[in-house]
Amino acid sequence: MRAVLAPVSLSLVAVVALGVVGCGGGAPSAEPSVSLVSSSAPSASSTSRLMPPVRPVRVFAAQVASAESVIAAPGSTAGAVRAAGEFEQLAVRALSEARAGVRRRVLARLSGRAHRIIAADLAAAGGLRSITPPQPSLPPWRIVDPLPATQLMRIYRRAARTTGVPWTYLAAINFVETKFGRIVGPSYAGAQGPMQFMPATWAAYGRGGDVHDPRDAIPAAARYLRAHGAPRDMTRALYAYNHSTSYVNAVRSYAGVMRRWPRSILGYRSWRVLYRARSGVWVLPLGYPKAKAIRLSAD
């Protein structure tokens, strides 16, 4: 939100929801057959291996399709889903950096769910990057594990029942703003909590709750959206939340994915915090700042 939430959310600055900068099928529960990114925090020596190569295109597309199948399959283990989600994020980033022809060739090899999700992620990534300037230094945040997806879903659905705001929009905002609460710390504009409220706005919509508690912050965001046109006019409500058409389009893209394929939230919840600084793009691992940031790539 402008003058309501941070002009640029934590997660936009951090490219957490981007993959650029930032429930399915009957696949078996075993780990996917292709190589996926390790779920453990990377060490400095492994940084160069984080980004998956987009060539050969045939192999890369097969890896993306496999990761999406793991996320979609109800029988997949938590570890497999986490690894697949981490790969999904870095694959989107790698594609966003690739030449347009390579992106087209990869997308042409994907079909159905995988094609539509990756296309939506790329569209959101491009828009969010356009409103996310690189920052001069790494942020004074803490990176924590967000609530389990089952708990988050209960909070989203409860808020949706009481306000009429679709749960997918609440989840998408939570994802874009702070990576489902993975980022703990104020924005540069002073916005706080998993849904990024400015103090005055929290006073109006928080009902005396804790801005840092998703059980209070998510319903407050739903009330704010309802007061600004949701659910009838979600575009207007989202624009009130953040005065950026790119932001609105990105939230709508992620919400659309989660509406059609609810299990996609499991993949998105696994996306790590990528922070765009002038010195490059950095992974802020779980436990940051005690756990050191790792440079992923040049900006």
Side-chain angles (χ1 to χ4, degrees), residues 146-227:
L147 288 178
T150 51
Q151 291 186 37
L152 289 170
M153 287 288 290
R154 283 197 292 270
I155 299 170
Y156 299 143
R157 292 188 184 279
R158 188 180 304 118
R161 285 194 299 270
T162 58
T163 63
V165 178
W167 74 265
T168 53
Y169 284 98
L170 300 174
I173 291 171
N174 196 191
F175 179 42
V176 170
E177 294 290 347
T178 62
K179 199 74 167 315
F180 297 115
R182 192 176 289 267
I183 298 171
V184 177
S187 74
Y188 292 105
Q192 301 179 41
M195 302 298 275
Q196 287 293 277
F197 276 94
M198 294 296 285
T201 311
W202 182 253
Y205 293 93
R207 295 185 178 177
D210 182 354
V211 71
H212 301 289
D213 188 337
R215 298 166 187 83
D216 294 329
I218 292 167
R223 290 191 290 271
Y224 179 89
L225 292 169
R226 175 67 183 236

Side-chain angles (χ1 to χ4, degrees), residues 172-275:
I173 291 171
N174 196 191
F175 179 42
V176 170
E177 294 290 347
T178 62
K179 199 74 167 315
F180 297 115
R182 192 176 289 267
I183 298 171
V184 177
S187 74
Y188 292 105
Q192 301 179 41
M195 302 298 275
Q196 287 293 277
F197 276 94
M198 294 296 285
T201 311
W202 182 253
Y205 293 93
R207 295 185 178 177
D210 182 354
V211 71
H212 301 289
D213 188 337
R215 298 166 187 83
D216 294 329
I218 292 167
R223 290 191 290 271
Y224 179 89
L225 292 169
R226 175 67 183 236
H228 289 80
R232 176 174 295 182
D233 191 344
M234 287 305 306
T235 297
R236 175 183 165 225
L238 292 171
Y239 193 80
Y241 209 91
N242 188 306
H243 292 353
S244 164
T245 300
S246 294
Y247 177 95
V248 171
N249 291 339
V251 169
R252 293 185 71 95
S253 290
Y254 291 128
V257 168
M258 288 186 278
R259 179 177 63 253
R260 183 157 189 176
W261 298 285
R263 279 186 62 86
S264 62
I265 192 175
L266 302 177
Y268 288 150
R269 185 190 171 277
S270 302
W271 285 27
R272 290 177 287 190
V273 176
L274 306 184
Y275 187 86

